[in-house]
């Protein structure tokens, strides 16, 4: 089957300053869920993630540990790979900014910007926030601190190459006004518009006081050695990751459909600097930049440099992977901040997963064992009004889930799917097959149980992007031996595809209840 079209999705590339925390895992999981769902929908997906390895922040972290920065990067990147494996994240590629393939693209890009007349030599004299690796003017500071993370800033005065970002103010504003989907959610788009309207200054894009970065060609024959500003370097990963220089057909296939997922802390780099850079070299702008909110813990943004970071390895060890993959995307509407707490986690897992979904599966399969000799019943030919209503709901939920997933509205998509699960539980309750069996209404028992199993088959398909292992377990319990990960919604979602006579298994509880402390 030929794919409907392509879908390119990226995460930020993470600093290799320390172990990944739940905040990093959150963005990567969101991208993975979107990528898996679009694959299910038949799209040709490219999902890119990676690590940001240059710059002062990484250099200082390495110094603290008494390591060369490359050695620190080589060590820390292993944690990100291990995390991706643990989370069952399925990227098509993982880009590191210290790789040669990335350096080549950066240098080609820089040359284009220079040839366009957008790079000049000057002197930077203002403030720098190290945790954000960001430049600020005096007036942008809030009470003398970084306007983004509220931490101390340092005064910089050094020779620097500048990028004529101011040249692109008008074009960027026009693009922002014309393309409502370019920056999402809407509130973030308005913030970006206000920022650009306040005027764009040229951007300092090189440093002479550190040497950990990609060397800038000596464009203006200066005595000083310049390395590229870490953000200018890092943003280009979105091009090098799909082989911009060497594979133009692949590049074109994916670039036009790019969705960048970012935390709201780094929206300005993506929605202002990056588009201006692309405009300078004449490349199309990404289709969508989606800034999600922060996971807080103890009511504070979780971060590597604060003490409140939650360890994703420990969380998965404690609760299992699929409840973690489910919780963050059901509990927190994508785009808003959300507090992590064990109490809400346990409540969600017990009520949605153990009670609603887990019980539907265990009751349905148990009754098939009791009343249908453990085999999937015949595909019904006639339906009562109640049966029809459930079938109709399943159809509606498939369409709505797709619509929400296209908009990255994960929580809404899950609410739709849970409507179907809860309605099916209610249906089972109303039909009471245990009573029908006593009354020897075999045809009705079979029909009812077939409808529940078929609903579960569809539910598993729809939840597979969120909970790949549990969804496969549901299919296996229904006797379906196909690999759910490689199925297509178009061919699998029409009603009535569960064959008759499959061997149903009860198995262990899909989601064991977590004891409340
Ligand atoms: O900024 N809640 O890397 P970084 C939700 N290298 N998401 C969070 C989070 C939290 N508490 N904390 C971090 C960088 N994140 C740059 C990016 S891209 C060209 C360069 C997530 O290691 C969120 O996606 O500081 C945020 O934007 C990202 O991690 C920052 O990761």
């Amino acid at each position: 089957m030929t794919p409907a079209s392509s879908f390119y999705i990226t995460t930020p590339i993470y600093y290799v300053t320390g172990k990944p925390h739940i905040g990093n895992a959150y963005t990567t999981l969101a991208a993975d869920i979107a990528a898996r769902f679009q694959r299910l929908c038949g799209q040709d997906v490219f999902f890119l993630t990676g690590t940001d390895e240059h710059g002062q922040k990484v250099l200082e972290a390495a110094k603290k540990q008494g390591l060369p920065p490359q050695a620190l990067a080589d060590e820390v990147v292993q944690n990100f790979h291990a995390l991706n494996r643990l989370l069952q994240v399925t990227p098509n590629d993982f880009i590191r900014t210290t790789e040669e393939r990335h350096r080549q693209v950066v240098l080609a890009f820089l040359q284009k910007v220079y040839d366009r007349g957008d790079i000049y030599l000057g002197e930077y004299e203002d403030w720098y926030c190290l945790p954000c690796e960001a430049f600020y003017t005096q007036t942008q500071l809030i009470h003398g601190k970084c306007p983004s993370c509220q931490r101390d800033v340092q005064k910089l005065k050094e020779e620097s190459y500048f990028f004529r970002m101011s040249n692109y103010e008008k074009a960027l504003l026009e693009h922002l006004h014309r393309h409502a989907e370019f920056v999402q959610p809407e509130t973030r788009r308005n913030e970006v518009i206000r920022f650009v309207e306040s005027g764009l200054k040229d951007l300092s894009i090189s440093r002479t006081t550190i040497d950990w970065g990609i060397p800038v060609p000596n464009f203006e024959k200066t005595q000083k050695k310049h390395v590229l500003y870490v953000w200018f370097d890092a943003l280009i990963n979105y091009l090098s990751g799909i082989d911009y220089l060497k594979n133009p057909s692949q590049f074109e296939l994916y670039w036009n459909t790019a969705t960048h997922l970012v935390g709201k802390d780094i929206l300005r780099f993506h929605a202002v600097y990056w588009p201006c850079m692309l405009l300078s070299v004449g490349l199309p702008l990404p289709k969508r930049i989606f800034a999600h909110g922060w996971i807080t813990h103890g009511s504070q943004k979780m971060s590597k440099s604060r003490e409140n970071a939650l360890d994703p390895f420990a969380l998965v060890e404690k609760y299992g992977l699929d409840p973690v993959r489910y919780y963050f995307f059901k509990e927190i509407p994508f785009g808003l901040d959300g507090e992590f707490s064990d109490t809400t986690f346990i409540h969600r897992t017990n009520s949605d997963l153990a009670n609603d979904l887990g019980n539907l599966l265990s009751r349905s399969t148990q009754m098939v064992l009791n009343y249908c000799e453990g085999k999937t019943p015949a595909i019904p030919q006639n339906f009562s009004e109640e049966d029809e209503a459930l079938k109709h709901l399943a159809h509606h939920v498939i369409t709505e889930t797709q619509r929400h997933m296209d908009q990255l509205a994960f929580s809404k998509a899950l609410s739709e799917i849970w409507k179907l699960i809860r309605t099916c539980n209610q249906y089972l309750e109303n039909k009471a097959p245990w009573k029908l069996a006593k009354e020897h209404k075999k045809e009705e028992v079979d029909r009812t149980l077939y409808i529940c199993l078929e609903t579960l088959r569809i539910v598993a398909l729809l939840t597979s992007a969120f909970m790949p292992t549990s969804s496969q377990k549901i299919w296996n319990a229904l006797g379906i031996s196909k690999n759910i990960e490689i199925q297509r919604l178009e061919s699998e979602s029409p009603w009535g595809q569960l064959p008759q006579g499959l061997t149903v298994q009860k198995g262990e509880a899909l989601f064991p209840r977590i004891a409340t402390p």
Side-chain angles (χ1 to χ4, degrees), residues 251-293:
F251 177 76
E252 241 162 66
L253 174 66
Y254 295 118
W255 179 245
N256 290 327
T257 68
T259 288
H260 297 316
L261 295 191
V262 297
K264 63 181 179 180
D265 49 334
I266 56 172
L267 179 61
R268 187 175 298 174
F269 301 96
H270 285 82
V272 181
Y273 299 3
W274 180 226
C276 291
M277 289 163 64
L278 290 164
L279 286 167
S280 171
V281 301
L283 278 173
L285 304 192
K287 194 166 156 206
R288 170 168 68 169
I289 301 163
F290 194 106
H292 65 67

Side-chain angles (χ1 to χ4, degrees), residues 11-17 21-24 26-27 52 57 80 131 231 234-235 237-238 261-266 270 292-296 301-304:
T11 72
I13 48 172
Y14 305 107
Y15 288 125
V16 284
T17 44
H21 58 77
I22 277 290
N24 309 128
Y26 179 63
T27 320
D52 191 353
K57 192 163 151 156
F80 282 93
W231 271 100
L235 288 161
N237 92 85
Y238 301 128
L261 295 191
V262 297
K264 63 181 179 180
D265 49 334
I266 56 172
H270 285 82
H292 65 67
W294 285 336
I295 308 285
T296 59
K301 179 188 179 240
M302 204 185 298
S303 77
K304 287 187 198 110

Side-chain angles (χ1 to χ4, degrees), residues 189-367:
R189 173 170 170 250
N190 294 338
E191 277 172 27
V192 172
I193 290 177
R194 277 198 302 275
F195 178 78
V196 181
E197 276 173 351
S198 74
L200 289 187
K201 286 178 45 156
D202 291 345
L203 181 69
S204 165
I205 57 159
S206 72
R207 305 289 312 273
T208 56
T209 48
I210 59 167
D211 62 359
W212 181 235
I214 296 179
V216 178
N218 197 354
F219 290 129
E220 297 296 331
K221 312 280 174 280
T222 154
Q223 298 301 309
K224 294 242 159 83
K225 285 192 173 147
H226 290 245
V227 295
L228 193 58
Y229 170 43
V230 64
W231 271 100
F232 205 92
D233 166 352
L235 288 161
I236 296 171
N237 92 85
Y238 301 128
L239 306 182
S240 55
I242 47 171
D243 218 354
Y244 166 57
L245 282 185
K246 296 200 179 125
N247 193 342
S249 58
Q250 165 173 291
F251 177 76
E252 241 162 66
L253 174 66
Y254 295 118
W255 179 245
N256 290 327
T257 68
T259 288
H260 297 316
L261 295 191
V262 297
K264 63 181 179 180
D265 49 334
I266 56 172
L267 179 61
R268 187 175 298 174
F269 301 96
H270 285 82
V272 181
Y273 299 3
W274 180 226
C276 291
M277 289 163 64
L278 290 164
L279 286 167
S280 171
V281 301
L283 278 173
L285 304 192
K287 194 166 156 206
R288 170 168 68 169
I289 301 163
F290 194 106
H292 65 67
W294 285 336
I295 308 285
T296 59
H297 189 217
S299 301
Q300 264 211 331
K301 179 188 179 240
M302 204 185 298
S303 77
K304 287 187 198 110
S305 47
R306 295 198 181 100
E307 294 298 302
N308 65 344
L310 270 180
D311 175 7
F313 292 92
L315 200 65
V316 170
E317 168 84 30
K318 189 167 168 191
Y319 294 122
L321 176 59
D322 281 355
V324 170
R325 288 184 62 117
Y326 174 79
Y327 167 81
F328 286 103
F329 299 95
K330 178 66 180 77
E331 192 64 27
I332 308 166
F334 200 57
L336 302 183
D337 295 345
E339 168 78 4
F340 174 88
S341 86
D342 282 285
T343 316
T344 52
F345 190 97
I346 293 171
H347 172 74
R348 271 276 158 232
T349 306
N350 285 349
S351 81
D352 300 6
L353 300 182
N355 283 359
D356 296 338
L357 180 54
N359 271 348
L360 179 61
L361 181 69
S362 74
R363 292 164 82 202
S364 309
T365 50
Q366 184 61 56
M367 282 188 253

Side-chain angles (χ1 to χ4, degrees), residues 35 54 63 77 81 123 140 149 197 202 210 218 286 305 319 335 364 370 389 424 436 496-497:
H54 289 131
K63 269 190 202 149
V77 74
H81 286 308
E123 185 171 69
Q140 287 173 321
C149 73
E197 276 173 351
D202 291 345
I210 59 167
N218 197 354
S305 47
Y319 294 122
S364 309
N370 294 351
C424 191
L436 297 172
Q497 295 198 50

